[in-house]
Amino acid sequence: QARLVESGGGLVQAGGSLRLSCASASGYIGAYAMAWFRQAPGKEREFVGSISWSDVTDYADSVKGRFTISQDRGKHMMFLQMNSLKPEDTGVYYCAARFAQSTALDEYKYWGQGTQVTVSS
């Protein structure tokens, strides 16, 4: 069972960068696909991007070209490099895991507690 912990959130000015990390506290990711979701205040949680165990990535249109997902399976970690940040990127960012890639929120079984990202204008 994967227990996920996010870190790296914070306050950044528009145009800046942040790198989020997601660690498997249980030390096991195995062949799971990993994903990032985010939730802005008053809005539903939305898909940001995902990565398969074989490094195939998928991104929401709103972050393509600005965000990059990577992973280090040996360290049971996933990363989200966020560049050219915009105020609309503000929200709580969650990592999630399931057996195959998906953009659907309700298909993910394992979730972290989230990390806050705030982008000021």
PDB file of all heavy atoms in Angstrom, residues 6 11 22 33 66-67 73 89 105 109:
ATOM      1  N   GLU A   6       3.462  14.850   0.240  1.00  0.00           N
ATOM      2  CA  GLU A   6       3.923  15.926  -0.621  1.00  0.00           C
ATOM      3  C   GLU A   6       4.741  16.943   0.173  1.00  0.00           C
ATOM      4  O   GLU A   6       4.530  17.117   1.380  1.00  0.00           O
ATOM      5  CB  GLU A   6       2.741  16.673  -1.262  1.00  0.00           C
ATOM      6  CG  GLU A   6       1.789  15.812  -2.066  1.00  0.00           C
ATOM      7  CD  GLU A   6       0.616  15.321  -1.245  1.00  0.00           C
ATOM      8  OE1 GLU A   6       0.735  15.261  -0.004  1.00  0.00           O
ATOM      9  OE2 GLU A   6      -0.426  15.002  -1.821  1.00  0.00           O
ATOM     10  N   LEU A  11       4.999  30.143  -1.222  1.00  0.00           N
ATOM     11  CA  LEU A  11       4.538  31.381  -1.853  1.00  0.00           C
ATOM     12  C   LEU A  11       5.579  31.830  -2.882  1.00  0.00           C
ATOM     13  O   LEU A  11       6.769  31.894  -2.579  1.00  0.00           O
ATOM     14  CB  LEU A  11       4.346  32.459  -0.789  1.00  0.00           C
ATOM     15  CG  LEU A  11       4.025  33.869  -1.280  1.00  0.00           C
ATOM     16  CD1 LEU A  11       2.678  33.890  -1.985  1.00  0.00           C
ATOM     17  CD2 LEU A  11       4.045  34.846  -0.108  1.00  0.00           C
ATOM     18  N   CYS A  22       6.852  14.312  -4.121  1.00  0.00           N
ATOM     19  CA  CYS A  22       5.899  13.356  -3.549  1.00  0.00           C
ATOM     20  C   CYS A  22       6.697  12.116  -3.193  1.00  0.00           C
ATOM     21  O   CYS A  22       7.296  11.489  -4.070  1.00  0.00           O
ATOM     22  CB  CYS A  22       4.805  13.034  -4.552  1.00  0.00           C
ATOM     23  SG  CYS A  22       3.712  11.681  -4.051  1.00  0.00           S
ATOM     24  N   ALA A  33       1.076   4.048 -11.521  1.00  0.00           N
ATOM     25  CA  ALA A  33       1.152   5.344 -12.169  1.00  0.00           C
ATOM     26  C   ALA A  33       0.948   6.396 -11.084  1.00  0.00           C
ATOM     27  O   ALA A  33       0.210   6.180 -10.122  1.00  0.00           O
ATOM     28  CB  ALA A  33       0.074   5.475 -13.239  1.00  0.00           C
ATOM     29  N   ARG A  66       4.720  24.322 -19.259  1.00  0.00           N
ATOM     30  CA  ARG A  66       5.182  25.027 -18.050  1.00  0.00           C
ATOM     31  C   ARG A  66       5.548  24.068 -16.925  1.00  0.00           C
ATOM     32  O   ARG A  66       6.470  24.344 -16.152  1.00  0.00           O
ATOM     33  CB  ARG A  66       4.097  25.986 -17.557  1.00  0.00           C
ATOM     34  CG  ARG A  66       3.693  27.046 -18.557  1.00  0.00           C
ATOM     35  CD  ARG A  66       2.748  28.082 -17.937  1.00  0.00           C
ATOM     36  NE  ARG A  66       1.507  27.492 -17.465  1.00  0.00           N
ATOM     37  CZ  ARG A  66       1.089  27.565 -16.209  1.00  0.00           C
ATOM     38  NH1 ARG A  66       1.813  28.191 -15.289  1.00  0.00           N
ATOM     39  NH2 ARG A  66      -0.065  27.017 -15.864  1.00  0.00           N
ATOM     40  N   PHE A  67       4.814  22.969 -16.824  1.00  0.00           N
ATOM     41  CA  PHE A  67       5.040  22.003 -15.752  1.00  0.00           C
ATOM     42  C   PHE A  67       5.667  20.732 -16.320  1.00  0.00           C
ATOM     43  O   PHE A  67       5.353  20.317 -17.443  1.00  0.00           O
ATOM     44  CB  PHE A  67       3.721  21.622 -15.083  1.00  0.00           C
ATOM     45  CG  PHE A  67       3.089  22.707 -14.257  1.00  0.00           C
ATOM     46  CD1 PHE A  67       3.537  24.021 -14.294  1.00  0.00           C
ATOM     47  CD2 PHE A  67       2.006  22.403 -13.430  1.00  0.00           C
ATOM     48  CE1 PHE A  67       2.938  25.007 -13.537  1.00  0.00           C
ATOM     49  CE2 PHE A  67       1.393  23.380 -12.663  1.00  0.00           C
ATOM     50  CZ  PHE A  67       1.865  24.683 -12.719  1.00  0.00           C
ATOM     51  N   ARG A  73      12.178   6.217  -9.269  1.00  0.00           N
ATOM     52  CA  ARG A  73      11.545   5.017  -8.706  1.00  0.00           C
ATOM     53  C   ARG A  73      12.432   4.376  -7.652  1.00  0.00           C
ATOM     54  O   ARG A  73      11.939   3.784  -6.695  1.00  0.00           O
ATOM     55  CB  ARG A  73      11.216   4.026  -9.815  1.00  0.00           C
ATOM     56  CG  ARG A  73      10.091   4.498 -10.728  1.00  0.00           C
ATOM     57  CD  ARG A  73       8.733   4.173 -10.184  1.00  0.00           C
ATOM     58  NE  ARG A  73       7.655   4.841 -10.881  1.00  0.00           N
ATOM     59  CZ  ARG A  73       6.362   4.542 -10.747  1.00  0.00           C
ATOM     60  NH1 ARG A  73       5.994   3.570  -9.946  1.00  0.00           N
ATOM     61  NH2 ARG A  73       5.447   5.213 -11.405  1.00  0.00           N
ATOM     62  N   ASP A  89      -2.582  29.272 -10.870  1.00  0.00           N
ATOM     63  CA  ASP A  89      -2.006  27.995 -10.441  1.00  0.00           C
ATOM     64  C   ASP A  89      -2.105  27.800  -8.924  1.00  0.00           C
ATOM     65  O   ASP A  89      -1.748  26.737  -8.413  1.00  0.00           O
ATOM     66  CB  ASP A  89      -0.534  27.908 -10.852  1.00  0.00           C
ATOM     67  CG  ASP A  89      -0.342  27.858 -12.353  1.00  0.00           C
ATOM     68  OD1 ASP A  89      -1.103  27.150 -13.035  1.00  0.00           O
ATOM     69  OD2 ASP A  89       0.583  28.543 -12.848  1.00  0.00           O
ATOM     70  N   LEU A 105     -10.216  11.792 -11.271  1.00  0.00           N
ATOM     71  CA  LEU A 105      -9.989  11.937  -9.834  1.00  0.00           C
ATOM     72  C   LEU A 105     -10.423  10.706  -9.049  1.00  0.00           C
ATOM     73  O   LEU A 105      -9.680  10.195  -8.206  1.00  0.00           O
ATOM     74  CB  LEU A 105     -10.754  13.174  -9.365  1.00  0.00           C
ATOM     75  CG  LEU A 105     -10.898  13.447  -7.884  1.00  0.00           C
ATOM     76  CD1 LEU A 105      -9.560  13.886  -7.338  1.00  0.00           C
ATOM     77  CD2 LEU A 105     -11.951  14.518  -7.663  1.00  0.00           C
ATOM     78  N   LYS A 109      -6.695   5.649  -5.939  1.00  0.00           N
ATOM     79  CA  LYS A 109      -6.938   5.018  -4.636  1.00  0.00           C
ATOM     80  C   LYS A 109      -6.107   5.641  -3.532  1.00  0.00           C
ATOM     81  O   LYS A 109      -6.561   5.756  -2.395  1.00  0.00           O
ATOM     82  CB  LYS A 109      -6.634   3.519  -4.743  1.00  0.00           C
ATOM     83  CG  LYS A 109      -6.857   2.739  -3.468  1.00  0.00           C
ATOM     84  CD  LYS A 109      -6.601   1.262  -3.685  1.00  0.00           C
ATOM     85  CE  LYS A 109      -6.859   0.457  -2.424  1.00  0.00           C
ATOM     86  NZ  LYS A 109      -6.611  -0.999  -2.636  1.00  0.00           N
TER      87      LYS A 109
END
